[in-house]
Amino acid sequence: SPQVTSVTGLNVMSDPCSFSSFTRCVTKHLNLHLHLDFDRHVIRGRVALTVEVLEDRFSTLTLDSSDLSVVSVTANGQPVSLPSSLSVLMAWQHVIVEVTYETSPSATALQWLTPEQTAGKKHPYLFSQCQAHHCRSMIPCQDTPSIKHTYYAQVSVPKDLVTVMSAVRDGQEVDPQDSGRIIYRFRQTVPMPSYLIAIVAGALESREIGPRSRVWSEKEFVDKAAFEFSETEAMLKTAEELAGPYVWGQYDVLVLPPSFPYGGMENPCLTFATPTLLVIAHEISHSWTGNLVTNKTWEHFWLNEGHTVYLERMIGRCLESEQFRQFKAIGGWKDLQDSVNTFGANNPLTNLVPSLQDVNPDDAFSSVPYEKGFALLYHLEEQLGGPEVFMGFVKSYIQRFAYSSVTTEEWKNYLFAYFKDKVDILNKVDWNAWMFTPGMPPVKPQYDTTMADACNALSQRWLQAKDQDLNSFKQSDVKTLSSHQVIEFLSLLLQEDPLPLTHVKKMQEVYDLNAYMNAEIRFRWLRLCVRSRWEEVVPLALKMATDQGRMKFTRPLFREVFNFEKFRDEALRVFLAHRAGMHPVTSGLVSKDLKVDVSNAASQ
């Protein structure tokens, strides 16, 4: 029978964020049986991993796990006694390793919501977020993006809940063990990395929004969501024209409860989005760059995100205009500048390709892989012959490395092979400065400022206006701007000293910005008003801070009201009243922002 060895001596890892021994054996398929326990906030699981052994001699399979209680392990049906690490010594070419286990209530991949944290207030809710290295807290697995596998799943939940996963739905039946529960079945036949396994369970409904798309959410949001994501099919078609066929079958969107602290997550077949995520183009683009072609380790995360931003902006170019793409690129450069300022220009985490030895990949997360990655690709586009020429390379790269995982070096070698007639141009690129040097890139592309100029001009008019000039402003000032330009106009005003109260009141009178429901516009407009000390707007700002929980919006809105001395106590009162319904990550950070003594606050 197979013996067991521990991990020691296994220094053949090339992924610093995983212990799994993927040079020796690779997972080809996972078969999951999950039982969701909403009372104890745990998943009872059984996973069968089909593993292919790559070496002829005896080999050790090491799995990643975090905070899991392992009940038993078998290899090809034979029981295995385990040391502390999940390592199995194997003498077969193929082996099915079955692990029976239970997750911890504090598993980092899982977020259990109480009924009061949902829109419907009646039923609990569960969602997962595995990227970058949290799948191991939900399933013992080779938790590295260098390995891709298919998966099947059966999930048992109480019968008034619905479950969906990052896979194609494959029917449901009453749980034979408990007639008060239903088993939902799923199959994912396209190989994918562990970080894209995703599950959600709650009082969900769905609406069809296209020939291969449904939107899922609680019933309170489902019709609004169906309207907001109605352009999904047009974007999918545009992306297919640019990047090649969509291979995942279904493209559904799950709108999470408003307490979800992030914007979106590109889980295959089922993008996770928040009610405030307005553009799905980024998550759609990931179906090619990230999900089909994947970074081999998190050090090469820019291959996922830089190419996805590039493809997202190409979709914008097709559906809007080239000037729109240029405008978004200017905004992205500002975001990159912000990240570099936050980390510090000498911080190695601002390298395009950072070292993650002994670094938690969550701590390295920023705009850098997105926007430094995009800037490099745009710079190459400029050097090599323009958008059509360079998009040809991106499409070819996707087809060449589809269903696999790549490093920066493999990407670069393919770039040189594809542009073999232009190697002299490629050799002039300062690759070391772009990839392995911290701070801003060595070259700033010359973006077309046409759409940005109108925003700059209007913001300057407001900043320079005296009281007697206020009658020169007309509704048409903003009616000629796109929503993206209105966002930029307000962002520019937020970079300056607060406007006089007379000015923001006049702005409301002529532009009626209170009527805008676009979250990005509303967020900036309410901050601008609170800064100018407009008292009537404070309740609107606190309402937006608590109606949704995306940290990008909630934290700054609370901070603005808190900094308005007269309403400091009101900010605290509203926060304490809503805290129970907030995501713990969000409430913890807002507590710090508002300097709440947590032990004291809890007793009030």
Side-chain angles (χ1 to χ4, degrees):
S1 81
Q3 294 163 285
V4 173
T5 67
S6 70
V7 189
T8 47
L10 256 186
N11 288 330
V12 286
M13 296 183 295
S14 44
D15 183 345
C17 306
S18 171
F19 290 108
S20 66
S21 42
F22 56 83
T23 51
R24 294 159 177 253
C25 25
V26 293
T27 304
K28 290 298 183 186
H29 180 73
L30 294 182
N31 201 350
L32 291 165
H33 289 76
L34 304 177
H35 181 285
L36 310 192
D37 184 336
F38 282 89
D39 296 328
R40 293 175 51 231
H41 286 186
V42 299
I43 296 179
R44 294 208 302 279
R46 189 169 88 245
V47 58
L49 302 99
T50 305
V51 178
E52 186 180 333
V53 180
L54 302 179
E55 297 183 346
D56 289 342
R57 49 195 177 71
F58 282 119
S59 216
T60 308
L61 166 68
T62 305
L63 301 178
D64 290 300
S65 70
S66 162
D67 238 2
L68 297 175
S69 321
V70 173
V71 179
S72 64
V73 180
T74 65
N76 282 354
Q78 303 175 28
V80 173
S81 61
L82 274 184
S84 56
S85 70
L86 274 176
S87 301
V88 184
L89 191 66
M90 304 182 307
W92 303 283
Q93 280 320 124
H94 278 91
V95 60
I96 294 181
V97 175
E98 191 167 280
V99 183
T100 305
Y101 67 96
E102 186 174 282
T103 63
S104 155
S106 55
T108 51
L110 301 175
Q111 178 60 45
W112 302 86
L113 300 181
T114 61
E116 69 176 342
Q117 286 172 291
T118 67
K121 311 289 181 207
K122 282 199 187 69
H123 299 290
Y125 195 107
L126 168 71
F127 64 83
S128 64
Q129 167 63 30
C130 287
Q131 195 181 26
H133 62 312
H134 299 291
C135 187
R136 64 192 71 177
S137 72
M138 181 167 80
I139 303 164
C141 61
Q142 290 184 291
D143 197 8
T144 167
S146 61
I147 292 182
K148 295 189 167 183
H149 44 68
T150 52
Y151 80 87
Y152 295 166
Q154 296 188 27
V155 184
S156 169
V157 292
K159 68 172 188 295
D160 41 13
L161 300 185
V162 173
T163 293
V164 271
M165 291 189 75
S166 54
V168 174
R169 287 172 290 124
D170 190 31
Q172 62 191 75
E173 67 210 12
V174 175
D175 188 336
Q177 249 90 70
D178 179 346
S179 61
R181 299 177 71 91
I182 297 180
I183 289 178
Y184 287 88
R185 286 192 305 273
F186 304 92
R187 50 180 56 224
Q188 177 54 269
T189 56
V190 181
M192 49 165 253
S194 57
Y195 76 84
L196 293 174
I197 297 176
I199 185 168
V200 60
L204 298 173
E205 291 192 5
S206 70
R207 297 279 184 276
E208 192 173 297
I209 53 170
R212 46 187 159 176
S213 301
R214 302 188 76 83
V215 66
W216 297 81
S217 79
E218 293 182 79
K219 71 167 183 287
E220 290 77 7
F221 287 116
V222 74
D223 291 315
K224 183 168 186 279
F227 172 74
E228 286 189 352
F229 294 117
S230 58
E231 79 284 15
T232 298
E233 180 62 23
M235 285 193 179
L236 276 170
K237 281 205 176 82
T238 304
E240 286 187 303
E241 284 161 22
L242 290 166
Y246 178 79
V247 303
W248 305 91
Q250 194 73 7
Y251 183 86
D252 287 2
V253 180
L254 167 82
V255 179
L256 285 147
S259 60
F260 187 58
Y262 305 101
M265 178 63 206
E266 67 274 10
N267 300 309
C269 306
L270 185 70
T271 281
F272 282 20
T274 71
T276 63
L277 186 78
L278 298 166
V279 179
I280 203 93
H282 182 86
E283 310 306 334
I284 283 177
S285 300
H286 267 305
S287 306
W288 288 267
T289 47
N291 298 6
L292 192 57
V293 181
T294 306
N295 46 226
K296 197 165 273 184
T297 75
W298 297 113
E299 299 176 310
H300 304 281
F301 187 44
W302 84 272
L303 291 173
N304 277 20
E305 295 302 347
H307 287 86
T308 296
V309 173
Y310 186 82
L311 185 50
E312 168 195 5
R313 289 184 183 150
M314 288 301 278
I315 293 173
R317 176 179 192 259
C318 296
L319 295 177
E320 303 262 349
S321 67
E322 172 61 14
Q323 286 188 343
F324 176 75
R325 181 174 82 118
Q326 297 284 325
F327 177 69
K328 297 308 271 186
I330 292 169
W333 186 269
K334 281 189 185 159
D335 291 342
L336 177 58
Q337 188 71 67
D338 287 345
S339 278
V340 169
N341 292 345
T342 303
F343 275 100
N346 296 318
N347 189 320
L349 291 182
T350 63
N351 288 12
L352 187 61
V353 185
S355 164
L356 295 183
Q357 204 63 50
D358 305 316
V359 175
N360 179 334
D362 290 347
D363 296 343
F365 185 81
S366 74
S367 298
V368 171
Y370 296 75
E371 296 298 348
K372 203 184 232 190
F374 171 82
L376 171 58
L377 297 175
Y378 185 83
H379 174 62
L380 292 171
E381 173 196 300
E382 283 189 308
Q383 301 300 306
L384 293 165
E388 284 83 4
V389 172
F390 197 72
M391 193 61 222
F393 161 73
V394 173
K395 183 173 189 174
S396 177
Y397 158 74
I398 290 166
Q399 302 311 315
R400 165 67 182 80
F401 292 105
Y403 309 104
S404 63
S405 302
V406 288
T407 63
T408 299
E409 189 167 1
E410 290 170 297
W411 168 86
K412 190 177 158 194
N413 289 342
Y414 191 69
L415 177 77
F416 273 72
Y418 183 91
F419 288 110
K420 56 181 182 295
D421 310 342
K422 298 180 177 173
V423 169
D424 50 333
I425 297 175
L426 289 171
N427 282 329
K428 291 200 183 86
V429 174
D430 189 343
W431 294 103
N432 187 57
W434 274 101
M435 287 175 171
F436 306 110
T437 308
M440 293 300 285
V443 180
K444 179 176 183 179
Q446 291 303 300
Y447 297 120
D448 177 335
T449 62
T450 308
M451 283 181 71
D453 291 341
C455 313
N456 292 330
L458 188 58
S459 66
Q460 283 305 315
R461 276 181 63 202
W462 280 98
L463 290 164
Q464 288 161 16
K466 305 277 181 284
D467 282 356
Q468 62 268 26
D469 305 326
L470 291 180
N471 287 329
S472 70
F473 293 103
K474 301 279 178 288
Q475 190 187 7
S476 56
D477 301 341
V478 289
K479 280 291 169 269
T480 55
L481 301 182
S482 70
S483 58
H484 303 276
Q485 287 174 299
V486 176
I487 292 166
E488 176 64 8
F489 159 67
L490 294 169
S491 297
L492 290 165
L493 292 175
L494 284 168
Q495 288 174 1
E496 308 293 335
D497 292 335
L499 287 170
L501 183 54
T502 47
H503 286 46
V504 290
K505 286 188 168 174
K506 184 68 178 181
M507 199 180 288
Q508 168 56 23
E509 185 191 317
V510 285
Y511 300 163
D512 193 15
L513 290 165
N514 282 342
Y516 281 68
M517 281 295 121
N518 174 313
E520 300 280 353
I521 293 176
R522 189 166 182 79
F523 161 64
R524 290 169 175 81
W525 165 240
L526 294 175
R527 287 176 70 197
L528 193 71
C529 294
V530 173
R531 278 197 200 173
S532 297
R533 302 290 182 251
W534 190 352
E535 300 190 3
E536 286 79 6
V537 173
V538 167
L540 299 177
L542 290 172
K543 185 174 181 338
M544 182 173 185
T546 52
D547 277 353
Q548 57 74 52
R550 194 169 165 191
M551 288 194 284
K552 172 181 171 178
F553 299 145
T554 294
R555 292 182 67 190
L557 285 165
F558 266 119
R559 282 199 297 257
E560 296 288 0
V561 177
F562 184 75
N563 290 335
F564 191 165
E565 196 66 51
K566 183 172 176 180
F567 291 93
R568 179 160 291 191
D569 290 344
E570 178 67 1
L572 287 166
R573 188 190 67 71
V574 170
F575 168 60
L576 293 172
H578 284 86
R579 187 161 75 175
M582 292 169 86
H583 189 287
V585 174
T586 312
S587 67
L589 290 164
V590 176
S591 298
K592 284 187 186 154
D593 295 339
L594 307 189
K595 305 174 178 56
V596 174
D597 175 357
V598 181
S599 55
N600 175 27
S603 62
Q604 285 180 7

